[in-house]
Amino acid sequence: MIDGGADPRYLARRIVRMAWEDIGLADPRAFQIANDAATTFERLGSPEGELALAQAVLYLASAAKSNAGYNAYNQMRAFVRENASDEVPVHLRNAPTKLMKELGYGRGYRYAHDEPHAYAAGETYMPDGLDEPEFYQPVPRGLEIKIGEKLAWLKSLDDEALK
């Protein structure tokens, strides 16, 4: 592409985008490598900086791939467009004044760090009447294997708490 006249800065932008969109959390190192390659190109310019871009491409080509985060982001955006911005549940609202405390703001709030496993099992953060969406579906590749296992474990804690 460089020999064909493509601007290396455009390539750097596409490389960074590829790391976030096509590799995602399956290999979070890809983000850093892509950003570092773009920064290196900006510092060195052509032709030396092109080596950083080439090595980033090699890394991304061999990295585990997942667009689960990208898909989750798009689903979340569509959800917000369809559901607008509903009221924050009263138990999650900050209560800096006496009136707000009297109105129940923050009553029953569970601080996750004070809970077992630093997780408020069974807690909901959605507005009243909306179910917890499951936008993010990790793929069974790379780091997302571990993320999927963690999410399944947290769901089991939620299920147990709701019994």
Side-chain angles (χ1 to χ4, degrees), residues 21-34:
E21 186 175 324
D22 299 316
I23 294 165
L25 292 174
D27 189 345
R29 291 172 298 202
F31 314 142
Q32 189 64 50
I33 289 169

Side-chain angles (χ1 to χ4, degrees), residues 38-102:
T39 300
T40 298
F41 181 83
E42 287 300 319
R43 178 169 288 169
L44 298 180
S46 288
E48 294 88 352
E50 292 166 10
L51 177 59
L53 298 178
Q55 289 191 22
V57 167
L58 290 170
Y59 187 88
L60 299 182
S62 62
K65 310 292 189 288
S66 172
N67 66 351
Y70 180 68
N71 290 339
Y73 173 74
N74 288 330
Q75 290 172 28
M76 178 273 309
R77 296 282 311 245
F79 179 86
V80 169
R81 269 193 309 276
E82 291 171 15
N83 292 285
S85 293
D86 290 330
E87 294 287 322
V88 172
V90 174
H91 74 281
L92 297 176
R93 295 181 191 178
N94 190 23
T97 69
K98 182 179 176 187
L99 175 61
M100 290 175 162
K101 287 176 186 163
E102 289 171 0

Side-chain angles (χ1 to χ4, degrees), residues 7 12 29 50 54-55 59 67 84 103 113 116-117 143 149 152 162:
D7 181 351
R29 291 172 298 202
E50 292 166 10
Q55 289 191 22
Y59 187 88
N67 66 351
L103 292 173
H113 295 281
H117 311 292
L143 180 63
E149 291 169 356
L162 295 172

Side-chain angles (χ1 to χ4, degrees), residues 94-140:
N94 190 23
T97 69
K98 182 179 176 187
L99 175 61
M100 290 175 162
K101 287 176 186 163
E102 289 171 0
L103 292 173
Y105 285 29
R107 186 177 301 132
Y109 175 74
R110 295 169 56 201
Y111 184 58
H113 295 281
D114 291 340
E115 300 275 338
H117 311 292
Y119 181 70
E123 183 63 271
T124 183
Y125 300 98
M126 296 298 291
D128 294 337
L130 288 178
D131 293 329
E132 294 282 341
E134 293 184 20
F135 299 127
Y136 178 55
Q137 300 296 318
V139 299

